[in-house]
C-alpha cells in the first residue's frame, strides 16, 4: 500500500509528528519516517565519502541509530537537525575508504587538474556517450573537491553551504559553538576558493577548465570507466548541470558561493533499494 506523506501545509512532511507516532508504536509512521529520511542521509553520506557503496552502508547504519534512539528525541531542535547530529557523529568516526584516501589535499588536487587539462575536448565518442562522460567527470571532480577538506571542515561546508543550515542549526548538528561553526565554514570556503580560482569553468566562463577536457585523463588514470560510470547511473541521477544554475553561479561574486550553487543543483540522489531491504532485515518493526 502506498502511504501518502503527512504534511504540515507547504513545508513538507511533519517529521516531528511522524517521530511521535513512531515512538508511540505506530509501525507505519516509523516506516514513513525512515523513507523520508533515507534519501537525505544518503545524499549527505555520498557527498562526504564520494563512494556510493560506503554511502549506502553509512545510510543503513545511521538509520538504525535513528530508530534505536528515536525515543530520546526531545523536540528541542528540528528532527532533521537531530538526524544530522547522529549522521555527523557516525561519518566523523567512519573508516576512511580508498576514494577518500586517494585525495591528498587541495594543492595536489588543483595541480592534477592543471597538469591533465587537455587542449581540446575529448574525441571518439558519440554525442550520448560524450554527454554522459562529461557529466560523470563533473560529478567526480566536484565530489572529489569536497574530499580535499578535512572531515570537520567538510561537514561544516556540507551542512552550511550545501544543505543550507543556519549557523544555529549547523552548530547544533556538529555539537560545537556557533562561532566554531562559522570559523570552520569560513576555512572550508577559503580552501574551495583556492581550488576554483582561475580554473573551474562551471562558475566562471573565462576559466579554462572544462569537464569534457578532463575526460581522457580521467580515463587514463582510472578515475573514470566509460563502461561503469559511478555517479551517472545512481538512483536519482540527472542530466548535466542546468544552464540556469550556471547563470546563477556566474553572477555570484564569491567563488565559494558560486560552486555551492553548482552543488545544490546536483542530482537529488535517492538511497539504493538495498538500503531499505537491509534496514528491514535489521529492524523487524519496519515490516509491521
Amino acid at each position: 500500500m502506498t502511504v501518502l506523506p503527512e504534511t504540515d501545509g507547504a513545508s513538507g512532511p511533519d517529521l516531528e509528528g511522524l517521530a511521535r507516532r513512531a515512538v508511540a508504536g505506530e509501525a507505519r509512521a516509523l516506516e514513513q519516517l525512515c523513507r523520508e529520511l533515507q534519501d537525505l542521509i544518503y545524499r549527505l553520506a555520498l557527498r562526504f565519502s564520494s563512494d556510493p557503496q560506503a554511502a549506502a552502508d553509512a545510510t543503513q547504519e545511521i538509520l538504525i541509530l535513528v530508530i534505536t534512539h528515536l525515543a530520546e528525541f526531545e523536540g528541542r531542535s528540528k528532527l532533521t537537525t537531530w538526524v544530522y547530529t547522529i549522521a555527523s557523529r557516525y561519518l566523523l568516526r567512519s573508516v576512511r575508504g580508498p576514494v577518500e584516501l586517494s585525495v591528498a589535499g587541495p594543492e595536489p588536487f588543483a595541480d592534477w587538474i592543471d597538469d591533465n587539462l587537455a587542449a581540446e575536448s575529448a574525441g571518439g565518442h558519440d554525442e550520448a556517450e560524450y554527454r554522459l562522460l562529461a557529466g560523470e567527470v563533473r560529478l567526480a571532480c566536484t565530489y572529489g573537491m569536497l574530499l580535499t577538506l578535512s572531515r570537520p571542515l567538510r561537514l561544516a561546508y556540507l551542512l552550511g553551504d550545501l544543505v543550507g543550515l543556519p549557523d544555529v542549526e549547523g552548530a547544533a548538528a556538529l555539537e560545537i559553538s556557533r562561532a566554531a561553526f562559522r570559523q570552520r565554514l569560513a576555512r572550508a570556503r577559503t580552501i574551495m576558493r583556492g581550488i576554483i580560482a582561475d580554473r573551474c569553468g562551471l562558475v566562471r566562463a573565462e576559466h579554462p577548465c572544462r569537464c569534457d577536457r578532463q575526460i581522457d585523463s580521467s580515463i587514463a588514470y582510472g578515475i573514470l570507466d566509460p563502461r561503469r560510470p559511478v555517479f551517472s547511473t545512481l538512483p536519482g541521477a540527472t542530466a548535466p548541470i542546468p544552464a540556469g544554475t550556471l547563470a546563477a553561479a556566474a553572477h555570484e561574486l564569491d567563488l565559494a558561493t558560486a560552486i555551492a550553487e553548482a552543488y545544490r543543483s546536483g542530482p537529488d540522489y535517492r538511497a539504493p533499494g538495498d538500503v531499505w531491504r537491509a534496514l528491514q532485515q535489521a529492524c523487524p518493526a519496519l515490516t509491521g
Side-chain angles (χ1 to χ4, degrees), residues 114-194:
D114 293 341
D115 293 343
N116 291 280
L117 181 64
E120 56 186 27
S121 301
H125 308 285
D126 61 39
E127 183 177 353
E129 184 182 35
Y130 173 82
R131 289 174 59 83
L132 174 67
L133 294 177
E136 182 72 13
V137 168
R138 174 180 67 83
L139 291 167
C141 182
T142 52
Y143 275 56
M145 201 182 300
L146 293 170
L147 297 182
T148 67
L149 303 173
S150 70
R151 286 184 158 194
L153 296 186
R154 195 184 314 157
L155 276 172
Y157 185 74
L158 289 173
L159 295 177
D161 276 6
L162 276 63
V163 174
L165 295 186
D167 61 356
V168 174
E169 293 181 33
L174 294 181
E175 300 176 295
I176 57 178
S177 69
R178 292 172 65 185
F181 179 78
R182 289 194 295 267
Q183 289 170 357
R184 289 186 187 181
L185 185 55
R187 177 59 181 153
R189 287 170 174 168
T190 297
I191 293 172
M192 295 296 276
R193 288 188 199 103

Side-chain angles (χ1 to χ4, degrees), residues 54-78:
D57 294 341
T59 300
Q60 178 191 335
E61 295 299 327
I62 292 166
L63 279 170
I64 290 173
L65 290 171
V66 169
I67 292 170
T68 54
H69 293 276
L70 192 57
E72 300 172 15
F73 175 64
E74 299 176 347
R76 289 182 292 185
S77 65
K78 292 181 181 178

Side-chain angles (χ1 to χ4, degrees), residues 241-251 261 265:
I241 186 169
T245 298
L246 293 180
H251 283 90
E261 189 78 39
S265 75

